[in-house]
Amino acid sequence: MYQIHNFLDNDDIKVLDRLGPFSVIEYQRDLSVLPSEAALAYYCNEMNVRKRQVVCDLSRSGGVTIQAGAMQWAAGNVNATTGIKGVGDFFGKAVRGSVTGESAIKPEYTGDGTLVLEPTYKHILLIDMADWNGDIVLDDGLFLACDSRLKHKAVARSTFSSAIAGGEGLFNLGIHGSGALCLESPCPREELVVIDLKDDVLKVDGNMAIAWSNSLRFTVERSSRSLIGSAASGEGLVNVYSGTGRVLLAPVTQGPV
């Protein structure tokens, strides 16, 4: 039996969102600053640059899978495994990790205790896979945690030109199944644009899509049908998402945070 005090009940901590086993908390003020850092901490707080963490209540799930190195501390009955179910499974995950840029082994935690992930200044999004018909593709580096019952897979771009011309990799991480998914986003949910397509097309100039339905076809095309038209419009290549599904757009092109 364990009890945790001065954590979720601390008046400096605000619970932003809850879904499945996950709770997202935010520190309203940075109280551990030196005098020389006080001005920076003040303006960070004013601009919504705050530390955030994910708290996992394992009693509400059969287990969670997290990004390698993301665990900070755990209390109670919490058991960690590699999630590897044999040589074939290890080989498959190693190949998937090498092509998607994600860690090959993502640890799984089971039990009925509390697991807390490392703090981050990024924004944390909780995604209900039911809102994406159980099949979502993620931009590189967004995955943080999910229900262990969700399946991971490498999703190939629709065409080779999508990777070469668009400056992207050949594969993205896809998540499939039913449950909760936790992402690290460079911008808050309030700024994200959600576009639902039904047998239609979305063209995006730049790497602004952070997630999209696996049912969509992703290609890279010229912004105009002719080279002269592309030059005249001032645009070059655009990312094209076509078909039926959903796209989650950030307001600016993604880069280092």
Side-chain angles (χ1 to χ4, degrees):
M1 185 67 178
Y2 69 94
Q3 292 181 325
I4 302 174
H5 301 286
N6 199 34
F7 186 42
L8 298 182
D9 56 341
N10 189 310
D11 61 5
D12 190 45
I13 289 180
K14 179 181 179 181
V15 179
L16 299 181
D17 199 5
R18 286 190 174 97
L19 182 66
F22 303 114
S23 296
V24 179
I25 64 173
E26 180 182 80
Y27 292 81
Q28 299 304 289
R29 298 164 296 169
D30 190 349
L31 303 178
S32 304
V33 295
L34 297 173
S36 59
E37 302 169 338
L40 177 61
Y42 173 81
Y43 286 109
C44 282
N45 185 70
E46 290 298 304
M47 295 303 296
N48 196 36
V49 180
R50 300 189 178 106
K51 287 188 294 185
R52 302 171 182 94
Q53 280 184 293
V54 174
V55 181
C56 310
D57 182 357
L58 297 180
S59 66
R60 298 176 57 88
S61 172
V64 298
T65 301
I66 69 172
Q67 186 63 272
M71 190 275 280
Q72 187 185 50
W73 59 273
N77 177 29
V78 177
N79 305 301
T81 69
T82 61
I84 300 297
K85 299 176 176 62
V87 175
D89 186 43
F90 172 77
F91 178 76
K93 289 181 177 179
V95 171
R96 186 182 68 224
S98 66
V99 298
T100 62
E102 298 282 339
S103 58
I105 298 177
K106 295 180 173 63
E108 296 182 8
Y109 290 84
T110 60
D112 55 11
T114 299
L115 173 70
V116 181
L117 305 190
E118 289 280 357
T120 177
Y121 282 102
K122 292 184 179 181
H123 300 273
I124 301 173
L125 308 179
L126 297 184
I127 303 292
D128 187 346
M129 290 294 291
D131 295 334
W132 293 79
N133 292 323
D135 215 348
I136 190 173
V137 182
L138 306 178
D139 196 23
D140 296 341
L142 266 70
F143 177 84
L144 180 59
C146 70
D147 281 318
S148 291
R149 57 187 173 179
L150 293 176
K151 304 299 182 183
H152 302 226
K153 58 185 177 181
V155 177
R157 298 299 177 99
S158 299
T159 62
F160 183 73
S161 64
S162 302
I164 303 304
E168 303 283 352
L170 285 170
F171 296 87
N172 285 93
L173 177 64
I175 307 293
H176 175 76
S178 175
L181 172 65
C182 185
L183 307 179
E184 281 188 299
S185 170
C187 58
R189 186 185 296 272
E190 292 81 1
E191 291 185 353
L192 293 173
V193 180
V194 181
I195 300 177
D196 289 320
L197 299 174
K198 185 175 182 180
D199 295 324
D200 216 325
V201 178
L202 170 67
K203 297 182 179 181
V204 183
D205 181 17
N207 183 26
M208 297 169 63
I210 68 171
W212 56 94
S213 299
N214 194 31
S215 56
L216 293 172
R217 184 172 185 267
F218 173 74
T219 57
V220 174
E221 302 175 4
R222 293 196 303 268
S223 60
S224 176
R225 291 183 179 275
S226 67
L227 292 174
I228 295 177
S230 294
S233 68
E235 305 290 347
L237 299 170
V238 292
N239 295 329
V240 180
Y241 304 85
S242 56
T244 298
R246 171 171 292 182
V247 181
L248 200 58
L249 287 180
V252 294
T253 301
Q254 301 309 299
V257 177

